[in-house]
């Protein structure tokens, strides 16, 4: 069965498995997992991706599948504990850490960002920065210039083992004018989260210490780290057009995309975020809320959209050799997570497809 097979054919196969499920639960559950693994394999093969993990979590029912190769040089297989660079999926973790500090009264969302970044002189050199609030950084309404431009990416490819500091990264943005006055429009912008990562460092000593204290620990994430040591275990190498570009992701330690973790750990974070336990309901409302204004499709570190399954919340991430996403459909109480060590060749929406696959069955 291929990824793009007819919906009716998938349903027939799944319901055939369900017929034996009441008599042999293990056999039925294994049949569902086998079919899902075939679908996941077809997706990865069709996109030319080395390997990855997919998790579907509905109340009382979790399906996990792993496919492919984590390290092509050794033939190491992807497992459910393989650690991937998560790229921009780290942004919601930074947002969650800021909201944790907000709950403690250490920072207010209406605060001027400059009041929390006096240790970072490059921030004050950004056009329009003096008028930006913490909330505007979180929901991408700051209007600040983007640091992650073609020049930065070219230099990252040329120096893949270089570990950029926030001060170095911001120099790519300081020559440019703001896109719009703060609070008047929306533009997704990585500069915002570099600055937020530095706020957390100012509060807790470093970004790794802050995320460990406020997100990794409370979520019970076992494998998460900021950046990665190439010698550490269970790492997936990242491949971009058959090039091994792993070090670019592993050496990313800025607030806009710093986290390396397993899909299982990303699952724990998403469950804690959407189903409770990570922080209080008021902070969750702030994160998921859509207050009137230009950021009507983005909360604080969380994006909102809809597809045929319904409204969903979450975040995706893509950078050299790695992609990841988590998505929650509140009306269905359905959570999907994936992490892969390659980049899609098409714009096919995998999680919309797999949400539909699961609910159709």
């Amino acid at each position: 069965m291929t990824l793009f097979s007819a919906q009716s054919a998938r349903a027939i196969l799944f319901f055939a498995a369900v017929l034996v499920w009441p008599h042999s639960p293990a056999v039925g559950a294994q049949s569902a997992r086998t079919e899902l693994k075939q679908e996941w394999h077809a997706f990865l093969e069709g996109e030319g991706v080395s390997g990855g993990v997919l998790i579907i979590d509905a109340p009382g029912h979790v399906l996990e599948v792993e496919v492919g190769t984590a390290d092509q040089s050794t033939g190491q297989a992807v497992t459910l504990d393989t650690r991937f660079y998560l790229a921009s999926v780290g942004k919601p973790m930074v947002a969650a850490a800021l909201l944790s500090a907000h709950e403690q009264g250490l920072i207010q969302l209406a605060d001027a960002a400059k009041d929390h970044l006096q240790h970072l002189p490059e921030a004050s050199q950004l056009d329009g920065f003096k008028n930006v609030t913490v909330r505007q950084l979180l929901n991408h309404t700051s209007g600040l210039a983007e640091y992650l431009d073609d020049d930065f990416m070219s230099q990252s490819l040329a120096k893949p083992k270089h570990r950029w500091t926030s001060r170095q990264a911001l120099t790519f943005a300081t020559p440019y004018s703001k896109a719009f006055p703060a609070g008047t429009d929306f533009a997704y912008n990585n500069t915002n989260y570099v600055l937020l990562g530095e706020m957390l460092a100012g509060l807790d000593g470093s970004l790794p210490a802050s995320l460990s204290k406020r997100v990794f620990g409370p979520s019970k994430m076992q494998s998460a780290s900021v950046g990665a040591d190439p010698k550490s275990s269970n790492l997936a190498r990242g491949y971009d057009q058959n090039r091994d570009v792993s070090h670019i992701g592993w050496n990313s330690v800025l607030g806009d995309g710093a986290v390396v973790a397993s899909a299982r750990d990303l699952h724990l974070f998403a469950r804690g975020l959407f189903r409770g336990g990570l922080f209080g309901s008021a902070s969750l409302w702030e994160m998921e809320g859509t207050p009137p204004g230009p950021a009507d499709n983005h909360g604080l570190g969380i994006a909102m959209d809809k597809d045929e399954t319904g409204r969903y919340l979450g975040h995706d991430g893509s950078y050299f050799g790695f992609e990841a996403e988590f998505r929650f459909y509140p009306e269905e109480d359905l959570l999907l997570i994936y992490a892969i060590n390659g980049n899609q060749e098409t714009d096919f929406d995998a999680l919309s497809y797999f949400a539909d696959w699961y609910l159709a069955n």
Side-chain angles (χ1 to χ4, degrees):
M1 182 176 299
T2 67
L3 181 66
F4 302 103
S5 57
Q7 186 81 312
S8 58
R10 293 199 305 274
I12 289 169
L13 283 176
F14 186 85
F15 288 125
V18 170
L19 289 177
V20 302
W21 205 322
H23 305 290
S24 180
V27 172
Q30 186 59 38
S31 296
R33 185 179 183 279
T34 297
E35 184 184 348
L36 181 62
K37 193 165 187 174
Q38 290 171 346
E39 295 275 344
W40 181 234
H41 179 268
F43 164 70
L44 295 179
E45 187 174 52
E47 296 287 352
V49 172
S50 181
V53 175
L54 171 69
I55 300 173
I56 300 178
D57 177 348
H61 192 198
V62 176
L63 288 170
E64 301 174 309
V65 292
E66 74 285 1
V67 166
T69 305
D71 185 338
Q72 294 179 3
S73 66
T74 64
Q76 177 186 349
V78 168
T79 71
L80 295 173
D81 296 314
T82 295
R83 302 170 64 222
F84 297 84
Y85 173 57
L86 301 182
S88 286
V89 170
K91 286 186 174 72
M93 299 181 193
V94 166
L98 258 294
L99 286 166
S100 166
H102 171 63
E103 286 188 335
Q104 293 179 335
L106 299 176
I107 193 166
Q108 299 302 315
L109 301 180
D111 285 351
K114 63 183 176 61
D115 293 343
H116 299 279
L117 289 167
Q118 295 178 9
H119 64 285
L120 188 68
E122 286 75 11
S124 64
Q125 297 171 26
L126 294 165
D127 185 39
F129 174 70
K130 67 179 181 180
N131 298 317
V132 172
T133 67
V134 174
R135 183 187 292 277
Q136 289 163 350
L137 294 176
L138 284 163
N139 69 8
H140 297 292
T141 60
S142 72
L144 296 174
E146 173 66 78
Y147 91 90
L148 189 59
D149 60 6
D150 290 343
D151 187 20
F152 181 86
M153 288 189 283
S154 295
Q155 292 201 36
S156 295
L157 273 172
K159 299 183 288 185
K161 294 185 179 181
H162 181 69
R163 186 157 283 195
W164 298 91
T165 67
S166 297
R167 299 183 68 171
Q168 291 171 334
L170 290 175
T171 62
F172 288 83
T174 52
Y176 300 105
S177 299
K178 62 181 181 292
F180 49 82
T184 65
D185 204 347
F186 169 88
Y188 185 89
N189 187 323
N190 292 281
T191 301
N192 294 328
Y193 276 74
V194 172
L195 297 174
L196 290 167
E198 281 296 324
M199 283 188 194
L200 291 175
L203 288 171
D204 298 319
S206 69
L207 180 58
S210 188
L211 290 179
S212 179
K213 170 185 175 181
R214 300 181 183 280
V215 177
F216 301 161
S219 299
K220 297 184 169 41
M221 299 165 73
Q222 298 296 313
S223 72
S225 63
V226 170
D229 179 347
K231 297 178 182 178
S232 59
S233 61
N234 292 332
L235 276 181
R237 303 192 74 90
Y239 299 97
D240 177 45
Q241 299 179 346
N242 295 318
R243 296 174 299 175
D244 185 337
V245 289
S246 309
H247 287 278
I248 298 176
W250 295 345
N251 283 304
S252 179
V253 294
L254 306 178
D256 62 319
V259 178
V260 175
S262 68
R264 277 182 160 173
D265 267 0
L266 179 55
H267 180 203
L268 288 171
F269 168 73
R271 289 188 75 166
L273 182 63
F274 293 122
R275 292 184 179 153
L278 189 55
F279 42 48
S281 59
S283 291
L284 183 59
W285 183 91
E286 286 282 6
M287 198 169 191
E288 297 180 2
T290 54
D296 60 355
N297 68 337
H298 210 286
L300 308 186
I302 292 291
M304 299 94 167
D305 208 337
K306 61 182 179 179
D307 58 15
E308 292 185 1
T309 296
R311 182 177 70 94
Y312 63 82
L313 308 99
H315 210 290
D316 62 0
S318 177
Y319 205 47
F320 293 108
F322 294 96
E323 293 184 11
E325 184 173 0
F326 70 100
R327 186 180 294 184
F328 180 62
Y329 294 88
E331 285 78 15
E332 302 288 347
D333 196 11
L334 180 64
L335 185 59
L336 295 96
I337 295 97
Y338 82 82
I340 60 179
N341 62 336
N343 300 113
Q344 285 188 233
E345 295 178 355
T346 75
D347 60 359
F348 181 74
D349 189 336
L351 290 192
S352 285
Y353 175 83
F354 286 106
D356 178 64
W357 177 91
Y358 182 81
L359 293 173
N361 294 322

